[in-house]
């Protein structure tokens, strides 16, 4: 009875919010959004700092912000501070999980599931393929959809595959920690270099190159690669914490 | 040319010094309080009387004093610093029994500084600053005595009082634009004036311990150490009287005028509450067994006299009220000091456990006798003059009910005031105290003697002080009292207090001669009862100090603590509300937050007609 | 026109799956429903022309989050059989 | 020396410190001390991140308001860190990240960036409270905090849909330009109000507080009640003054909630027998008062109120948590007579409590007078009456607590306060007394903040 | 249509937290809440007939018909924050299970 009552209450609230959004003349309905009235118009036309060059794929040279993928432009260039915060969130939660679960010496969780030889070898082959796709996604972050976060997670899922395929496999957690720390510090150092050399934190001080080229968009691919490595090692750290238990 | 700010700083630094010295030796620290309060009293009295207290400010930036034509503040200031000075004589003798002796002397001097600040300023914010300073410094003096709960009762009531005073201050500032007292009180008008009047009265009632807000007075005065009790009843209550004067006299009368007694409704209600205080105080005092609690209730009912007199706003009543403030301060401090001396020697103030102190402590007995004569209002002492003024004005205004209450109060004071005298001092000397007791040391007797001397002086030759009070009346804008050097002129006739005193003196001499000439009384052991023939069931039946007024008490026994239960009920309601809210909002399940988020969102969307 | 139909189907499926995920008795069932729910959200991101988000949600949402849930339940299952 | 270092350096130190685990506590101390020094040299400016001007890129706003907020939060953080660094070595990195999160909260001028920093400081707070050994209470805090930030994000996104920008000042300008009536804008602001309200401990949304602060230790107590409370109230203030447009119906409902929160907080504190519960319920009431002052538009004295409150709560929770650790329980009966044989700590505890009550000779008096005079000058009598009534109730239960802690004869609790704690506590209470007597600097700071006009850089 | 589904989804998430007493179920409801929010954020950026916000060979004619890229950038962050919170929640769940032996809040003894 209590469940039904709260369901009615909650759905009533949902209905009220929907009604109030519909009646609100400023809340543009689904689909009829006019980009020109929004901030993101200048992200598309790349004229935040008054860039006048028309944005032509393969033609435009040294635009204000290099990546062809506008979402990556926003994530890694226009609003790069959010991503720094973002990476810190993941860093803190992986550290928190390690603090909570991995206090002493750890050994693999005994799951009463012993994979046979075929699975162990097959997964080794598959590991290479998943790893390569992850790296591909990271490297082409500024051109095609994807980037640091999905690429890093793909690397982590390839390591997850090894965990599942072999029940006493453990990654070298210490080395992942150093990789994570180096990648993170490099990212912040790039930002600080931007601050001290070019007087804006996280500014894109390298040349942006031709729109759509592989080697274009200044520091964005570098930043995204660092993020990818960091996210990959953090998530594999989390996976390791979840799949191990205290040595009794 | 002592500057007021200099005195306040001396008091504060003196306090800190007393704390440091107190760390070395308790008694020296306490005697430092005597020196400092003495110096302050002398400078305030001397410079205050010839009006040359300067108000220049150098160190304390926010403070602004005003000393020139401020007779009201000066008169209160002199009185209260005098009481502080007199009571400080007792500090060295009592301080070694306290848990935190050096802290005691520090807070003693801090409250003295606070009192100084309150009376000599013309700025409301400064008045409130020192008012609150007195509240919290005297707060920590109370728990040194017997009861710990008394402190929270005291803080509760006086915080309620001072915060309503603060509210009134800000309401006045809205109309007057500045914190100045005089134009704040004069310029406030309309509905604000009623609000300000009520709030000032609440503050006065809370500080004076008058009827609705009186619960803390007996608890605090009864349970705190003796010097603190005397300072409270003599000095700190006068803050309430000061606020009452501001509220009733400086502020224009509030509410529609009642033709029958041509007095504003607001004043009339306060008069009724004052009368209730008198009656309630007297009734409660009659049934007390502890001498200190008894005197505490009597000072509560005297507070009622002051309130009633202040509401009548004619020359005899306001001068009577101000004079009664002086008299009550002197008499109750003397009484409390005497009881304190007895308490120090015997360790208890319960009337049923004491007796026959007169043999070993005759001077204390005489001091106590004079004090209660003045409190009861019997002619040669000051109490008679002030009560004469107050009764006259009440009858003249035609307020019969309140007059009856005041008469009941003074008759009642005969009843309960003489009981501690008989219980503590007269009667057979109790065996266990015979060897232990000796008279109080000289430095304890000195203030008591001074006080009783003043009690007599104010009764015999009041016109000196009444002359000064006339200046205060002039400042307050009330018609002055007709005084010649030896006579007071009331509404229907003059009073020659000196003549009455002389007649009483002659009477006393004659009585003394008869006592010497005729046969002495025979000393009788307590055990063999002297009643005629029949067997006495309980030996206390006729003992004057053990519930002698049992028949009267039985009349109102059942509903003694109506008010106490009322306040306890409030405290209980707050407690229940707290745990009720706690039950609703604080469970250890996460869904409670989401529930309230959904409910608040729903209400706000519905109510804010955002649909 | 086809998009609108798919959109409606996806919306209805979303709501039904969410309700099932919350009210199912067995924990492992609700985890699976959650994973399918996130897969459905990937489809809705594709409908709304957001490929970046779709890739990320696919890898993180259905990949990582579901595996974390399953690992927690596995760790608990070791102690007592019923999950 | 731009303000970005306040965020970048702690994050960099955190990333480095996971390699050199042993040094992380000392890095924490060094970085937080360095930041307090750095604060001295910060110019007042808007810092754009990545070179893109305000509405498009993210901008950090360093004006009088955020400068005071930063100062209070960093100094408090440093003090709490010093006391707890020796027995919480493992949390060095997490504390560094929470410092970055808190600084980000104070500085950021961008609404979504505020959400990210809210999450950073939130998650590090959840991890800090795990040291309470009460996983269920931490779980409640996590759920409440996450629901709160999700609601905040929902409100933010609705605002973005309406006005198309994420920058605070630009949002305020666009709302004013669009002439949207208060009713239409009420829903997103309401959601954001509730979102931040969960973190700022407003009554209906703070059921997590009892679990966390009720069982707090020497780190979580001062951290959550002092540092995080001050930070979230400063964020609340910035949003209320910079962005929110509050209509009369919305204002009426909000003030009803706040008034209820103040009075109920005091009543709950009056009715609780555990010392820590008294402190946490009184801090709920004070949070209500702070938001009440912000809603009625007086940023100046609200900032002073929050900072004084932050300092006092750190002192109170440090003393009581240490005593509870030694004695074992925080019932008032068990802690009776605590200060009899450690007088110095007792004196500073009493001074802090008296300053909280707003009694003269203490800084609290001046702030209370300032708040009341401004509330009265705007003509309303209801809020001051509520504040005064609540401080009467607050006074009674604090006096009851003080008399119990000071006056007891036999079998006193054997509690020894170690030197750094005593030193810190005495210094803060001395500051409260000094600022109580000589409050010119407070006065100027309040005046400067009072005319902190929306978005204008002073 | 997806906009309303997103809001309903969020409400179901709130319903889940309200009614379920199981720690894991609460974390699942939190995830449903986040998924709903993500869909809502993307739905307010959708433009009818818009194209994915990436410059490719075919569509390089300035800002015609692109979908609003900013919400997508925000959702990227929101998803990863959701993962962070869920991972922490699950770690806490394991700790709670280790301490109280059950996920049901009702029969956790001594958890006042």
């Amino acid at each position: 009875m209590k469940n039904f009552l709260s369901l009615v209450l909650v759905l009533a609230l949902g209905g009220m919010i929907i009604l109030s959004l519909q009646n609100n003349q400023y809340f543009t309905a689904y689909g009829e959004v006019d980009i020109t009235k929004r901030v993101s118009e200048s992200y598309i036309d790349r004229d935040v700092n008054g860039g006048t060059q028309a944005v032509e794929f393969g033609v435009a040279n040294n635009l204000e912000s290099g990546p062809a993928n506008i979402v990556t432009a926003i994530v890694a260039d226009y609003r790069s501070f959010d991503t720094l915060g973002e990476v810190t969130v993941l860093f803190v939660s992986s550290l928190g999980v390690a603090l909570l679960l991995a206090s002493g010496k750890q050994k693999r969780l005994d799951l009463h599931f012993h994979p046979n030889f075929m699975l162990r070898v097959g997964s080794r082959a598959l590991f290479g393929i998943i790893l390569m796709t992850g790296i591909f996604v990271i490297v082409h972050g500024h051109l095609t959809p994807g980037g640091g976060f999905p690429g890093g997670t793909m690397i982590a899922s390839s390591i997850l595959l090894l965990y599942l395929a072999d029940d006493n496999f453990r990654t070298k957690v210490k080395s992942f920690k150093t990789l994570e720390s180096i990648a993170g510090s490099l990212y912040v150092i790039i930002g600080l270099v931007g601050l001290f050399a070019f007087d804006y934190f996280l500014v894109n001080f390298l040349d942006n190159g031709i729109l759509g080229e592989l080697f274009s968009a200044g520091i964005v691919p570098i930043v995204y690669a660092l993020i990818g490595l960091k996210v990959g090692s953090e998530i594999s750290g989390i996976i390791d914490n979840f799949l191990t238990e205290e040595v009794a | 040319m002592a500057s007021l700010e200099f005195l306040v700083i001396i008091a504060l630094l003196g306090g800190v010094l007393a704390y440091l010295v107190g760390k070395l030796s308790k008694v020296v620290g306490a005697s430092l309080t005597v020196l400092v309060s003495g110096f302050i009293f002398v400078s305030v009295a001397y410079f205050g009387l010839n009006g040359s207290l300067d108000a220049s400010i150098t160190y304390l930036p926010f403070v602004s004093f005003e000393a020139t034509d401020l007779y009201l503040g000066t008169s209160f200031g002199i009185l209260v610093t005098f009481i502080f000075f007199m009571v400080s004589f007792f500090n060295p003798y009592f301080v070694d029994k306290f848990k935190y002796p050096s802290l005691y002397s520090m807070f003693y001097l801090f409250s003295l500084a606070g009192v100084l600040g309150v009376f000599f300023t013309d700025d409301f914010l400064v008045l409130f600053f020192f008012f609150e300073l007195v509240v919290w410094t005297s707060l920590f003096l109370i728990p040194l005595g017997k009861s710990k709960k008394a402190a929270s009762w005291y803080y509760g009531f006086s915080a309620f009082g001072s915060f309503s005073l603060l509210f009134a201050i800000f309401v006045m500032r809205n109309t007057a634009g500045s914190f100045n007292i005089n134009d704040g009180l004069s310029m406030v008008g309309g509905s604000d004036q009623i609000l300000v009047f009520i709030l000032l009265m609440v503050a006065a009632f809370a500080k004076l311990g008058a009827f609705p807000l009186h619960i803390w007075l007996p608890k605090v005065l009864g349970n705190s150490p003796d010097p603190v009790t005397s300072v409270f009843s003599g000095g700190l209550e006068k803050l309430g009287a000061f606020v009452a004067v501001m509220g009733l006299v400086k502020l224009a009368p509030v509410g529609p005028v009642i033709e029958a007694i041509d007095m504003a409704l607001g004043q009339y209600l306060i008069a009724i509450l004052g009368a209730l205080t008198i009656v309630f105080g007297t009734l409660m005092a009659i049934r007390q067994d502890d001498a200190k609690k008894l005197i505490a209730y009597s000072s509560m009912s005297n507070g009622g006299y002051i309130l009633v007199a202040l509401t009548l706003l004619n020359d005899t009543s306001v001068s009577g009220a101000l004079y009664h403030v002086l008299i009550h301060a002197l008499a109750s401090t003397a009484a409390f000091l005497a009881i304190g001396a007895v308490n120090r020697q015997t360790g208890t103030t319960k009337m049923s456990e004491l007796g026959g102190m007169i043999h070993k402590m005759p001077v204390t007995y005489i001091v106590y006798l004079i004090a209660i004569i003045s409190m009861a209002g019997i002619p040669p002492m000051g109490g008679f003059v002030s009560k004469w003024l107050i009764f006259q004005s009440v009858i003249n205004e035609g307020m019969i009910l309140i007059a009856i209450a005041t008469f009941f109060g003074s008759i009642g004071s005969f009843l309960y005031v003489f009981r501690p005298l008989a219980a503590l001092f007269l009667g057979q000397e109790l065996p266990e105290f015979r060897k232990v007791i000796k008279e109080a040391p000289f430095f304890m007797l000195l203030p008591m003697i001074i006080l009783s001397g003043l009690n007599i002086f104010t009764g015999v030759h009041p016109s000196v002080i009444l002359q000064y009070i006339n200046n205060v009346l002039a400042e307050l804008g009330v018609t002055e009292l007709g005084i010649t050097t030896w006579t007071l002129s009331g509404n229907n006739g003059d009073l020659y207090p000196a003549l009455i005193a002389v007649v009483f003196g002659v009477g006393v001499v004659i009585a003394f001669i008869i006592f010497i000439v005729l046969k002495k009384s025979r000393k009788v052991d307590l055990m063999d009862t002297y009643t005629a023939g029949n067997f006495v069931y309980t030996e206390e039946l006729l003992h004057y100090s053990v519930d002698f007024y049992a028949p009267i008490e039985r009349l109102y026994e059942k509903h003694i603590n109506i008010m106490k239960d009322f306040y306890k009920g409030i405290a209980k309601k707050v407690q229940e509300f707290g745990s009720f809210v706690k039950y609703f909002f604080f469970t250890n399940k996460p869904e409670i937050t989401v529930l309230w988020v959904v409910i608040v969102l729903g209400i706000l969307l519905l109510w804010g007609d955002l649909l | 026109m086809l998009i609108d139909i798919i959109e409606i189907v996806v919306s209805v499926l979303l709501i039904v799956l969410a309700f099932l995920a919350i009210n199912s008795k067995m924990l492992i069932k609700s985890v699976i429903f959650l994973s399918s729910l996130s897969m459905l959200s990937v489809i809705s991101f594709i409908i709304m022309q957001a490929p970046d988000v779709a890739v990320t949600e696919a890898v993180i949402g259905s990949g990582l989050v579901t595996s974390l849930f399953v690992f927690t339940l596995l760790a608990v299952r070791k102690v007592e059989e019923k999950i | 020396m731009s303000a970005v270092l306040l965020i970048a350096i702690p994050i960099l130190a955190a990333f480095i410190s996971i390699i050199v685990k042993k040094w992380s506590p000392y890095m924490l101390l060094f970085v937080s001390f360095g930041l307090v020094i750095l604060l001295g040299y910060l110019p007042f400016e808007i810092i754009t991140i990545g070179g893109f001007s305000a509405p498009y890129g993210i901008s950090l706003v360093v004006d009088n308001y955020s400068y005071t907020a930063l100062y209070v939060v960093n100094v408090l953080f440093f003090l709490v860190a010093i006391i707890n660094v020796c027995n919480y070595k493992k949390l060095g990195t997490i504390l560094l990240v929470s410092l970055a999160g808190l600084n980000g909260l104070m500085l950021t001028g961008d609404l979504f960036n505020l959400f990210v920093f809210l999450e950073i400081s939130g998650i590090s707070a959840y991890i800090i409270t795990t040291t309470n050994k009460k996983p269920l209470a931490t779980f409640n805090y996590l759920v409440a905090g996450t629901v709160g930030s999700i609601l905040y994000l929902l409100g933010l996104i609705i605002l973005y849909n309406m006005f198309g920008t994420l920058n605070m000042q630009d949002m305020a300008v666009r709302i004013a330009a669009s002439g949207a009536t208060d009713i239409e804008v009420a829903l997103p602001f309401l959601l954001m109000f509730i979102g931040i309200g969960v973190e700022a401990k407003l009554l209906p949304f703070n059921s997590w507080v009892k679990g966390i602060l009720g069982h707090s230790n020497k780190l979580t107590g001062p951290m959550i009640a002092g540092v995080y409370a001050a930070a979230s109230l400063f964020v609340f203030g910035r949003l209320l003054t910079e962005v929110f447009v509050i209509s009369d119906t919305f204002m009426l409902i909000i003030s009803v909630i706040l008034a209820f929160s103040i009075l109920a907080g005091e009543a709950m504190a009056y009715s609780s027998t555990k010392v820590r519960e008294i402190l946490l319920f009184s801090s709920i009431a004070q949070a209500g008062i702070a938001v009440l002052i912000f809603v009625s538009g007086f940023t100046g004295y609200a900032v002073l109120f929050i900072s004084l409150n932050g300092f006092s709560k750190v002192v109170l929770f440090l003393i009581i948590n240490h005593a509870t650790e030694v004695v074992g329980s925080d019932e008032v009966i068990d802690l009776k007579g605590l200060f009899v044989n450690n007088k110095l700590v007792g004196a500073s505890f009493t001074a802090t409590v008296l300053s909280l009550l707003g009694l003269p000779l203490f800084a609290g008096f001046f702030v209370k007078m300032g708040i009341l005079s401004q509330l009265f000058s705007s003509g309303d009598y209801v809020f001051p009456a509520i504040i005064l009534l609540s401080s009467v109730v607050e006074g009674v239960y604090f006096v009851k607590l003080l008399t119990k802690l000071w006056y007891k004869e036999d079998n006193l609790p054997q509690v020894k306060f170690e030197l750094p704690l005593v030193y810190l506590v005495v210094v803060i209470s001395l500051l409260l007394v000094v600022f109580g007597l000589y409050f010119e600097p407070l006065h100027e700071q309040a005046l400067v903040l009072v005319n902190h006009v929306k978005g204008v850089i002073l | 249509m997806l906009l309303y589904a997103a809001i309903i989804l969020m409400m179901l998430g709130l319903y889940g937290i309200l009614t379920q007493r199981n720690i894991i179920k609460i974390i699942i409801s939190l995830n449903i809440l986040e998924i709903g929010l993500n869909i809502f954020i993307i739905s307010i950026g959708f433009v009818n007939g818009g194209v994915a916000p990436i410059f490719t060979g075919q569509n390089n004619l300035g800002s015609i018909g692109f979908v609003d890229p900013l919400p997508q950038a925000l959702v990227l962050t929101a998803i990863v924050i959701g993962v962070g919170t869920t991972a922490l929640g699950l770690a806490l769940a394991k700790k709670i299970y280790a301490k109280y032996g059950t996920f049901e809040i009702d029969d956790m003894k001594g958890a006042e």
Side-chain angles (χ1 to χ4, degrees), chain B residues 277-288 294-295 297-299 301-302 305 372 375-378 387 391 403-420 544 548-549 552 556:
Chain B
T277 321
I278 298 170
V279 168
F280 196 79
T282 321
L283 288 180
M284 287 303 286
I286 288 172
R287 62 187 303 283
Q288 290 307 327
L294 189 139
I295 304 290
Y297 274 112
S298 91
S299 66
S301 75
N302 283 324
Y305 280 106
I372 54 168
M375 248 193 260
I378 298 168
K387 283 201 169 144
F391 285 162
I404 293 167
T406 41
F407 287 148
F408 174 79
S410 57
I411 295 159
S413 62
F414 292 151
L415 290 181
Y416 60 74
V417 156
F418 284 97
R419 269 187 66 213
Y544 183 36
F548 186 73
Y549 299 111
I552 305 175
Y556 53 89

Side-chain angles (χ1 to χ4, degrees), chain C residues 3-82:
Chain C
I3 287 293
D4 300 346
I5 300 164
I6 297 172
E7 207 174 301
I8 291 165
V9 163
V10 163
S11 318
V12 167
L13 260 177
L14 271 175
I15 292 166
V16 165
L17 275 177
F19 192 77
L20 283 175
I22 290 169
N23 285 341
S24 70
K25 288 288 164 292
M26 303 254 291
L27 284 180
I28 199 69
K29 270 204 178 124
S30 54
V31 167
I32 290 160
F33 280 130
L34 178 71
S35 142
S36 59
L37 190 71
S38 87
M39 190 42 75
L40 260 174
S41 77
V42 168
I43 295 166
S44 68
F45 288 146
I46 292 166
I47 292 172
M48 289 195 270
Q49 298 292 337
D52 251 277
V53 175
V55 168
T56 318
E57 174 64 21
V59 176
I60 290 182
S62 44
L64 183 69
V65 166
T66 323
S67 53
L68 287 184
F69 271 106
V70 168
F71 295 154
T72 327
L73 295 183
L74 282 179
V76 163
R77 186 179 67 89
K78 201 159 66 55
V79 175
E80 33 87 13
E81 284 318 310
K82 179 187 68 54

Side-chain angles (χ1 to χ4, degrees), chain A residues 6 10 31 38 40 68 70 86 242, chain E residues 11 19 48 53 55 68 77 80:
Chain A
S6 39
V10 154
R38 288 191 177 178
S40 38
I70 306 169
E86 179 38 49
F242 268 90
Chain E
M11 290 306 135
T19 50
N48 280 340
F55 286 111
D68 184 350
T77 316
V80 177

Side-chain angles (χ1 to χ4, degrees), chain D residues 76-98:
Chain D
L76 276 181
F77 190 93
F78 176 63
L79 296 179
V80 172
I82 286 187
I83 295 290
N84 293 301
V85 84
C86 40
N87 39 28
Y88 293 100
K89 282 211 177 349
K90 292 216 300 292
L91 289 180
T93 318
I94 308 257
L95 285 172
L96 270 171
V97 172
S98 86

Side-chain angles (χ1 to χ4, degrees), chain B residues 291-580:
Chain B
K292 266 174 76 173
K293 278 225 168 67
L294 189 139
I295 304 290
Y297 274 112
S298 91
S299 66
M300 176 177 131
S301 75
N302 283 324
Y305 280 106
I306 297 169
L307 279 175
V308 164
L310 277 178
T311 55
L312 302 179
L313 289 183
N314 56 34
D315 57 352
T316 48
S317 76
V318 176
S319 61
L322 292 176
Y323 200 61
H324 193 70
V325 165
L326 169 70
I327 297 303
H328 167 61
L330 297 177
S332 69
T333 317
F336 273 119
L337 289 185
I339 295 174
V342 166
N343 190 1
R344 182 169 179 279
Q345 306 297 352
T346 61
T348 166
T349 56
K350 286 267 184 306
M351 287 191 274
S352 44
E353 292 151 12
L354 289 169
M357 287 298 138
I358 185 167
H359 304 289
K360 286 291 184 313
M361 304 173 72
V363 176
T364 322
Y365 165 71
I366 294 167
V367 164
Y368 187 76
L369 180 67
I370 294 168
I372 54 168
I373 291 174
S374 163
M375 248 193 260
I378 298 168
M381 300 312 163
F384 170 71
V385 172
S386 64
K387 283 201 169 144
W388 177 72
L389 286 170
I390 293 172
F391 285 162
Q392 241 187 86
S393 48
V394 166
I395 299 161
N396 192 16
E397 289 294 324
M399 298 159 69
I400 297 104
L401 267 180
I402 293 171
I404 293 167
T406 41
F407 287 148
F408 174 79
S410 57
I411 295 159
S413 62
F414 292 151
L415 290 181
Y416 60 74
V417 156
F418 284 97
R419 269 187 66 213
L421 185 84
L424 263 66
F425 294 97
L426 304 182
Q428 302 298 331
E429 205 176 0
L430 296 180
E432 69 269 19
F433 290 132
R434 183 164 293 121
K435 291 170 291 308
V436 167
I437 299 305
K438 52 185 178 0
E439 182 52 284
F442 170 69
F443 269 108
M444 276 170 77
L445 287 183
L446 180 65
M448 290 202 270
I449 293 162
I450 296 171
L451 281 171
S452 38
L454 272 176
N455 274 334
I456 301 168
F457 171 72
T458 49
V460 170
H461 187 53
S463 50
V464 169
I465 295 173
L466 280 176
Q467 189 60 40
Y468 191 79
I469 287 180
N470 271 345
N471 307 351
V472 176
L473 258 64
E475 183 204 333
L476 294 179
V478 176
T479 56
E480 293 186 13
L481 185 67
I483 302 174
T484 63
T485 50
W486 290 106
T487 66
L488 309 179
S489 66
N491 303 70
N492 36 36
D494 296 354
L495 174 72
Y496 295 84
L499 186 63
I500 299 171
V502 164
V503 165
F504 254 80
V506 165
V508 162
V509 165
I510 294 165
F512 189 70
I513 293 161
I514 296 167
F515 173 73
I516 298 297
V517 166
L518 294 184
K519 224 148 54 51
K520 293 285 176 303
S521 58
R522 182 170 53 80
K523 205 169 268 180
V524 171
D525 190 0
L526 190 59
M527 280 314 123
D528 50 6
T529 58
Y530 43 78
T531 46
N534 62 350
F535 179 70
V536 174
Y537 300 100
T538 60
E539 71 273 24
E540 301 95 6
L541 196 59
L542 294 177
H543 196 296
Y544 183 36
S545 62
V546 176
D547 54 42
F548 186 73
Y549 299 111
I552 305 175
E553 284 158 37
R554 269 194 292 276
L555 287 176
Y556 53 89
E557 201 123 43
K558 275 174 295 305
H559 22 75
I560 288 291
N561 26 33
I562 318 155
M563 292 310 296
K564 187 181 290 193
D565 300 344
F566 170 67
Y567 287 111
K568 278 207 166 60
I570 293 179
K572 195 116 238 8
K573 284 286 169 301
V574 169
Q575 194 124 11
E576 275 152 24
F577 174 60
S579 38
F580 171 76

Side-chain angles (χ1 to χ4, degrees), chain D residues 107-321:
Chain D
L107 277 169
T108 179
D110 183 275
L111 287 171
F112 184 77
N113 203 284
L114 186 66
F115 165 75
V116 172
F117 280 119
L118 212 63
E119 277 297 323
I120 293 175
S121 50
I123 289 183
S124 43
Y126 307 148
I127 298 166
I128 290 170
T129 48
T130 52
T131 58
N132 277 359
K133 298 290 177 290
K134 287 277 181 209
L136 189 62
T138 314
F139 182 76
N140 286 349
Y141 185 20
L142 183 131
V143 168
T146 315
V147 166
S149 45
I150 283 172
L151 284 178
Y152 171 81
L153 185 55
L154 179 63
L156 166 62
I157 289 303
I158 294 174
L159 264 183
Y160 174 71
N161 185 331
M162 289 186 195
F163 302 105
T165 172
L166 282 176
N167 187 291
M168 285 194 197
Q169 282 145 28
D170 193 27
M171 177 75 78
V173 164
R174 288 190 182 206
I175 291 176
S178 72
T181 64
D182 308 344
I183 301 294
E184 274 135 0
V185 182
L187 177 63
F189 287 149
L190 182 63
L191 288 168
M192 290 162 91
F193 185 91
I194 292 173
I196 305 281
V198 171
E199 185 64 30
K201 302 205 289 256
L202 290 186
L203 188 66
F205 321 115
N206 57 2
S207 81
W208 56 272
V209 172
K210 180 161 182 273
I212 295 292
L213 290 178
H215 312 286
S216 60
N217 54 37
K218 273 204 329 212
L219 173 66
T220 48
M223 188 59 90
I224 303 290
V227 182
Y228 271 79
S232 52
L233 283 173
F234 279 125
V235 167
F236 223 114
R238 180 168 281 285
L239 279 178
L240 280 176
T241 49
E242 298 266 317
V243 178
F244 277 18
V245 171
I246 301 179
S247 71
D248 44 12
T249 49
F250 185 24
M251 171 76 145
L252 178 71
I253 304 156
I254 295 288
S255 38
V256 163
I257 296 176
L258 290 178
F260 177 76
S261 145
I262 294 168
L263 292 177
E266 302 295 358
M268 283 188 279
Y270 184 80
S271 72
S272 45
T273 58
K274 291 194 166 79
V275 183
R276 282 188 295 196
E277 266 182 30
I278 293 177
L279 293 182
L280 74 90
F281 286 127
S282 94
S283 69
I284 286 173
Q286 257 122 38
I289 292 177
V291 174
L292 193 75
I293 304 161
F294 272 125
V295 160
S296 29
F298 308 112
T299 49
Y301 283 104
V303 166
L304 287 181
F305 182 79
I306 296 170
S307 17
L308 271 190
N309 200 334
F311 275 97
S312 330
K313 283 293 176 293
V314 165
V315 165
L316 297 182
F317 268 97
L318 268 180
I319 296 175
I320 292 299
N321 277 325

Side-chain angles (χ1 to χ4, degrees), chain A residues 24-26 28 37-39 42-43 49 79 81-82 92 181 200-201, chain D residues 15 19 48 50-51 56 97 110 112-113 161-162 164 174 178 184:
Chain A
N24 193 328
Q25 44 153 330
Y26 292 94
T28 55
K37 282 220 284 301
R38 288 191 177 178
V39 168
S42 50
Y43 293 140
N49 288 355
R79 297 181 66 91
F81 204 52
D82 279 352
V92 171
S181 153
Y200 289 117
F201 187 68
Chain D
F15 287 157
I19 309 172
T48 54
Y56 303 103
V97 172
D110 183 275
F112 184 77
N113 203 284
N161 185 331
M162 289 186 195
R174 288 190 182 206
S178 72
E184 274 135 0

